[in-house]
Amino acid sequence: MVVGDFPIELDTLVVGAGPGGYVAAIRAAQTGQNVTIVDKGNLGGVCLNVGCVPSKALIQAGHRFEHAKGAEDMGIKSENTTVDFSKVQEWKSSVVQKLTGGVEGLLKGNKVDIVKGEVYFVDKNTVRVMDEKNSQTYTFNNCIIATGSRPIELPDFKFSDRVIDSTGALALQEVPKKMVVIGGGYIGTELGTAYANFDTEVTILEGMKEILGGFEKQMSSLVKKRLKKKGVEIVTNAMAKGVEEKEDGVTVTYEVKGEEKTIDADYVLVTVGRRPNTDEIGLEELGLDMTDKGLINIDKQCRTSIDNIFAIGDIVEGPPLAHKASYEGKVAAEVIGGENAEIDYLGIPAVVFSDPELASVGYTEQEAKDAGYDVKASKFPFGANGRALSLNDSDGFLKLITRKEDDLVIGAQIAGPNASDMIAELGLAIEAGMTAEDLALTIHAHPTLGEVTMEAAEVAIGQPIHIVK
């Protein structure tokens, strides 16, 4: 190994080039900082390479295959529809390559220096970066840590060729005949849905009483209904006990109501959460204030207990969402650049690319009440929307949460087609301090799914047009 004799001095160092790190690096450069970003893997992090983007590509391919099999109620029939899964994987990889290549171009275009290697902190102003051949010491004035997270591995389900995490599920070279999914959260539900659309026989084992526990039951029940229609078996209050691996599959043992059961499958996918990547990078040398779960404590400016070190994304409190990491990255970069920025999470949406899609922003009805607000919840069904009916996808609703005293929009939940896109308008309404009347008076094109937002706002102000009050 070659070791650099003299430390290289840096202005701002960003550790990790995922959606938090690379965005932070670009924004820091835009504020006039000289920025260096370091990552041991591919640019784009988990999200672009083995997470958000490839999973949505696989989900989309699954929808295409499902639709290609026909829609008899529309008079469309199809026979002998097949899928070449190697081609699906090839297409998915091409999407990833376009985006990761784009990240490199953006970083270079903003004059950010890119360094490959693993980072180890020596003290609050020094890191050592190592690759297979070299080791170089760097000193920095400010640092943003954005090292992301990794899937949690269960003691009785060690990852292998047949016991896989989300990365493994995205890299399968064939469509499994049977798959067991341990964990009915957003990752397990999304990937379980994708493979069910490819005709895999999927069983979801969830330890709680409902899947998608972070969403209201009236939303998750719509997803359960669709999953069952696809042939997915959902077992709740189930405790996964162990797995027996064979050359061509697995046998999973689980317990429900005190009774042990087994199920055979080609693969078992474990999606029970993610663990922050804060170990093995020398943070113990710094003495950062951290939680017992390995998360770094930060203030409203993403600053850690050490003034010149900031932390963002999956390694701090809050949901492990790429757009949360990007947002925090901008805040941290702007603070280092001398701007008066701070985090405000109320307008950060949560989205599940299930079937139908789920999305939420701001307060739910119960959260608002728990926070002391006197609120009303106003719902409008997709079944009364012309565009949803013409898409033959009219299950679901939009619920608007407003304060009774002034109709201020403080939350919204959507279960239905294109919920992931529609939630942005509601996030803007919350950020801009808009009222239900503001939304109702905004002219929405017809016929579009976006009209559901306007219609729900009209319900909120007591002037609904397309449902009877």
Side-chain angles (χ1 to χ4, degrees), residues 75-94:
I76 300 172
K77 296 182 180 180
S78 179
E79 296 181 1
N80 301 319
T81 306
T82 62
V83 58
D84 182 342
F85 205 63
S86 63
K87 278 286 189 183
V88 172
Q89 290 288 20
E90 185 180 317
W91 170 75
K92 175 178 69 67
S93 296
S94 73

Side-chain angles (χ1 to χ4, degrees), residues 121-140:
F121 282 86
V122 177
D123 58 41
K124 70 183 186 71
N125 291 103
T126 310
V127 295
R128 190 163 63 251
V129 178
M130 297 160 284
D131 60 23
E132 293 180 355
K133 298 180 179 179
N134 304 300
S135 176
Q136 176 62 56
T137 298
Y138 294 85
T139 60
F140 56 83

